[in-house]
Amino acid sequence: MIYPIVKYGDPVLEKPAEPVSEFDTPELHKLVDDMFESMYAAKGVGLAAPQIGVGKKIAVIDLSVGEDPLQKLVLINPEVVANDGKQREEEGCLSIPGFREEVTRGTRVTVRAQNVKGETFEMTGEQLLARALLHETDHLSGRLYITHVSALKRDLIRRKIRKLVKAGEWA
Ligand SMILES: [Zn+2]
């Protein structure tokens, strides 16, 4: 099932998500499948559960956007355990469509997470994957990438979005 992507302004995006405590259930498998489906439909490379209105610590990433099954990543209750280096690139978010800003992130990031069976694993990503890991774990803490840009730029984005909301073009 393809969920609509929740847009900036919905409080679910800025609230820390709840940890997942039940694993390997049909509901969890279905939710993860739906998250991939919804992410591919939106042509994204990462999606956090709050972005489909589910306040749980689950994120999916696929830098190949459905081309390479080996790149599918499911991160449940992820925690960043190492974050090194510095890269500054443009970043966007499915929940803030039409905007992109430069964000400084680490270049090498290690995350500890659980899979759908509840097994704990660690993985390290570099460059774009490092950025995606940080972007998605941020989502699960209720943090959007615009919290990493200057207050001036953030206010400008907020003002533009307010206009879009008024015009009925942000729903
Ligand atoms: Zn995002």
Side-chain angles (χ1 to χ4, degrees):
M1 170 187 164
I2 296 171
Y3 284 84
I5 306 293
V6 171
K7 292 213 176 87
Y8 176 60
D10 190 314
V12 72
L13 293 175
E14 291 173 277
K15 214 164 55 187
E18 296 289 329
V20 172
S21 53
E22 277 187 67
F23 293 89
D24 212 15
T25 61
E27 293 78 19
L28 184 61
H29 283 278
K30 169 94 168 80
L31 181 58
V32 166
D33 287 348
D34 287 347
M35 285 177 66
F36 275 110
E37 213 182 319
S38 305
M39 177 177 78
Y40 295 145
K43 297 190 166 46
V45 295
L47 185 79
Q51 293 183 279
I52 56 164
V54 177
K56 288 186 182 166
K57 287 195 185 292
I58 308 170
V60 297
I61 293 174
D62 180 359
L63 297 186
S64 79
V65 201
E67 294 295 313
D68 176 7
L70 293 176
Q71 293 195 41
K72 285 175 83 171
L73 272 175
V74 178
L75 304 168
I76 301 179
N77 302 331
E79 262 180 89
V80 174
V81 292
N83 182 0
D84 300 301
K86 225 181 213 183
Q87 55 168 327
R88 189 165 175 81
E89 297 286 343
E90 272 200 348
E91 197 165 313
C93 178
L94 292 176
S95 294
I96 315 174
F99 295 89
R100 291 186 78 76
E101 288 295 336
E102 283 196 347
V103 179
T104 303
R105 299 281 197 183
T107 49
R108 189 180 160 83
V109 169
T110 301
V111 164
R112 182 182 300 138
Q114 283 164 285
N115 62 20
V116 280
K117 292 186 175 160
E119 297 158 343
T120 300
F121 65 96
E122 272 190 22
M123 52 119 8
T124 299
E126 297 188 4
Q127 305 302 330
L128 184 57
L129 184 53
R131 177 173 295 280
L133 290 170
L134 293 172
H135 182 111
E136 299 313 328
T137 47
D138 261 2
H139 265 301
L140 301 178
S141 307
R143 241 182 349 252
L144 297 166
Y145 82 89
I146 54 170
T147 60
H148 298 293
V149 307
S150 70
L152 200 73
K153 279 186 179 161
R154 190 163 53 243
D155 285 345
L156 190 66
I157 292 174
R158 285 203 184 119
R159 267 207 302 279
K160 285 182 182 168
I161 291 175
R162 235 172 276 142
K163 276 189 194 159
L164 290 170
V165 170
K166 269 191 195 154
E169 290 164 18
W170 193 263

